[in-house]
Amino acid sequence: MKQAIDFYFDFSSPYGYLGSHKIEAIAAKHGRSVTWRPMLLGAAFKVTGAKPLSELPVKKDYFARDFVRSAKFHGVPFRLPSAFPVSTVAAARAYYWLAEKDPQKAVELAKALYKAYFVDDINISETDNVVRIAASVGCDADEVRAALDNQAVKDKTRAEVEAAIAKGVFGSPYVVVDGEPFWGVDRFDQLERWLATGGW
Amino acid sequence: MKQAIDFYFDFSSPYGYLGSHKIEAIAAKHGRSVTWRPMLLGAAFKVTGAKPLSELPVKKDYFARDFVRSAKFHGVPFRLPSAFPVSTVAAARAYYWLAEKDPQKAVELAKALYKAYFVDDINISETDNVVRIAASVGCDADEVRAALDNQAVKDKTRAEVEAAIAKGVFGSPYVVVDGEPFWGVDRFDQLERWLATGGW
């Protein structure tokens, strides 16, 4: 059986969001499954010295334009959230909590969180919003709220983020297939050919 | 008549080199010409605070791999030069000196400089090598050597680089078509669709 594709992303990353719309079709085409792995760009930036795109002189204007253009290019609905970027630690904790119980529903939650943030302009850094979004995919609101404050869930999330960084993940989206890393939704063309040919 | 495409690049940029192999076919397909505009990434980095890819922790290993993989993906011969990155001010001066006299031959020189650096592993930061490469496309060696030391040529090159930065050029390759900027050879797919559709 072929290995799953590791799909790393930050819930506040526009390119990660675009990638989330494409990764499953690409994987399915080549008989692969996808393991969704939210990470925290802020933690990775501490290692690489990078800064959020929105804070870079000159580049930030380019990226604001490129987010919108790239979304249209890929045919994905998008609007730049009013609060951008935001902390996504609550979103990541909700995901990892749910993934231990129901991996498939956790992916559904990931998609709902991305849609809330990049389509409906809901600030997913706020616990109340994460709880509401989790409830919308069938979770019990009180249970989610308790999980977000649970030390074991916090530890699990931290361990997942640290494991990602230890594997060299520094951006979003970042895909690893059979040990080969692809950074950016603009490497999905290479990812597709890699899957089709087994590398080159 | 349609506007020319502005193709900005640094002679030490692997992705600029890959772009140099693709830009003319894309332009020709859509009835456009290309204005080749060497710039100096080091000067742009002073404005954006960016650093050379080869100096970034974690990312530098990814990029070393991505250069080679991207070259194969695009079907372009490539090897990472022994000295990388290097100063490309002599190369840029030779280009701008020649462009004033013979724009077409200047493009030929640009391609020869890129090939020397990324295929034949010749250090194009060295004046002697730039002179030899210019001679190989038909320039008089003594004339080139004199030009590289000529204050007017230095001023012209500096003015071109400053004009690029003033237009927001911060990376390589960086293409501008009818005011729309595209950064990276991985935006050439969007560039192509933009040219085909007149934007979206």
Side-chain angles (χ1 to χ4, degrees):
Chain A
M1 185 166 156
K2 291 177 183 168
Q3 277 192 321
I5 293 174
D6 285 316
F7 173 59
Y8 295 93
F9 61 97
D10 184 303
F11 280 113
S12 188
S13 158
Y15 301 120
Y17 163 70
L18 298 184
S20 78
H21 274 257
K22 309 199 73 167
I23 191 68
E24 289 192 321
I26 292 171
K29 198 171 155 187
H30 299 285
R32 303 271 188 155
S33 59
V34 179
T35 307
W36 292 53
R37 298 187 180 280
M39 46 79 74
L40 301 174
L41 276 176
F45 288 175
K46 282 185 190 149
V47 179
T48 59
K51 286 179 186 165
L53 300 178
S54 58
E55 289 177 15
L56 302 173
V58 188
K59 287 188 178 183
K60 69 173 192 286
D61 295 335
Y62 175 84
F63 280 115
R65 189 171 189 149
D66 190 66
F67 294 156
V68 174
R69 190 178 66 201
S70 293
K72 285 186 185 163
F73 181 77
H74 291 293
V76 175
F78 173 87
R79 72 190 246 189
L80 193 63
S82 309
F84 174 79
V86 293
S87 162
T88 55
V89 66
R93 284 175 184 162
Y95 173 87
Y96 282 116
W97 162 71
L98 189 54
E100 291 206 322
K101 307 199 302 173
D102 187 339
Q104 199 171 335
K105 192 181 276 191
V107 171
E108 206 182 320
L109 172 60
K111 292 175 184 174
L113 286 161
Y114 257 152
K115 177 176 178 296
Y117 189 50
F118 286 112
V119 177
D120 302 326
D121 197 14
I122 293 167
N123 187 336
I124 58 167
S125 72
E126 293 173 14
T127 303
D128 285 351
N129 288 333
V130 172
V131 170
R132 243 192 305 271
I133 295 160
S136 78
V137 300
C139 297
D140 180 85
D142 291 339
E143 213 184 327
V144 181
R145 195 177 297 277
L148 291 180
D149 215 29
N150 181 303
Q151 192 57 46
V153 173
K154 292 179 181 178
D155 291 345
K156 164 75 175 164
T157 304
R158 175 189 294 266
E160 290 284 349
V161 173
E162 284 177 358
I165 291 169
K167 286 193 177 174
V169 175
F170 57 77
S172 166
Y174 191 100
V175 173
V176 181
V177 52
D178 304 337
E180 185 72 15
F182 298 86
W183 175 41
V185 68
D186 46 31
R187 285 295 176 280
F188 278 23
D189 51 0
Q190 295 193 27
L191 166 65
E192 283 210 65
R193 197 188 295 176
W194 193 274
L195 286 167
T197 62
W200 63 80
Chain B
M1 186 166 157
K2 290 177 185 168
Q3 278 193 319
I5 292 174
D6 285 317
F7 174 59
Y8 295 92
F9 61 97
D10 184 303
F11 280 114
S12 189
S13 158
Y15 301 120
Y17 163 71
L18 298 185
S20 78
H21 275 257
K22 309 200 72 165
I23 192 68
E24 288 190 323
I26 292 171
K29 198 171 155 187
H30 299 285
R32 303 271 188 155
S33 60
V34 179
T35 307
W36 292 53
R37 298 186 180 279
M39 46 80 73
L40 301 174
L41 276 176
F45 287 175
K46 281 184 191 151
V47 179
T48 59
K51 286 180 185 165
L53 301 179
S54 57
E55 289 177 16
L56 301 174
V58 188
K59 286 188 178 183
K60 68 174 194 287
D61 295 334
Y62 176 84
F63 281 114
R65 188 171 189 151
D66 190 66
F67 294 156
V68 175
R69 190 178 65 200
S70 293
K72 286 185 185 163
F73 181 77
H74 291 293
V76 176
F78 173 87
R79 73 188 246 190
L80 194 62
S82 309
F84 175 80
V86 292
S87 162
T88 55
V89 66
R93 284 174 184 161
Y95 173 87
Y96 282 116
W97 162 72
L98 190 53
E100 291 207 322
K101 306 197 306 175
D102 187 339
Q104 200 170 334
K105 192 180 275 190
V107 171
E108 207 182 320
L109 172 61
K111 292 175 183 173
L113 286 160
Y114 257 151
K115 176 177 179 295
Y117 189 50
F118 286 111
V119 178
D120 303 327
D121 197 15
I122 292 167
N123 186 337
I124 58 168
S125 72
E126 293 173 15
T127 302
D128 284 352
N129 288 334
V130 171
V131 169
R132 244 191 305 271
I133 294 160
S136 78
V137 301
C139 297
D140 179 86
D142 290 338
E143 213 183 327
V144 181
R145 197 177 297 277
L148 292 180
D149 215 28
N150 181 303
Q151 192 58 45
V153 174
K154 292 179 181 177
D155 291 345
K156 163 75 175 165
T157 304
R158 175 188 293 265
E160 289 284 349
V161 173
E162 284 177 356
I165 292 170
K167 285 192 177 174
V169 175
F170 57 77
S172 166
Y174 191 100
V175 173
V176 182
V177 52
D178 304 337
E180 184 72 16
F182 298 86
W183 176 40
V185 69
D186 47 32
R187 285 295 176 280
F188 278 24
D189 51 359
Q190 294 193 28
L191 166 65
E192 284 210 66
R193 196 186 296 175
W194 193 274
L195 287 166
T197 60
W200 63 80

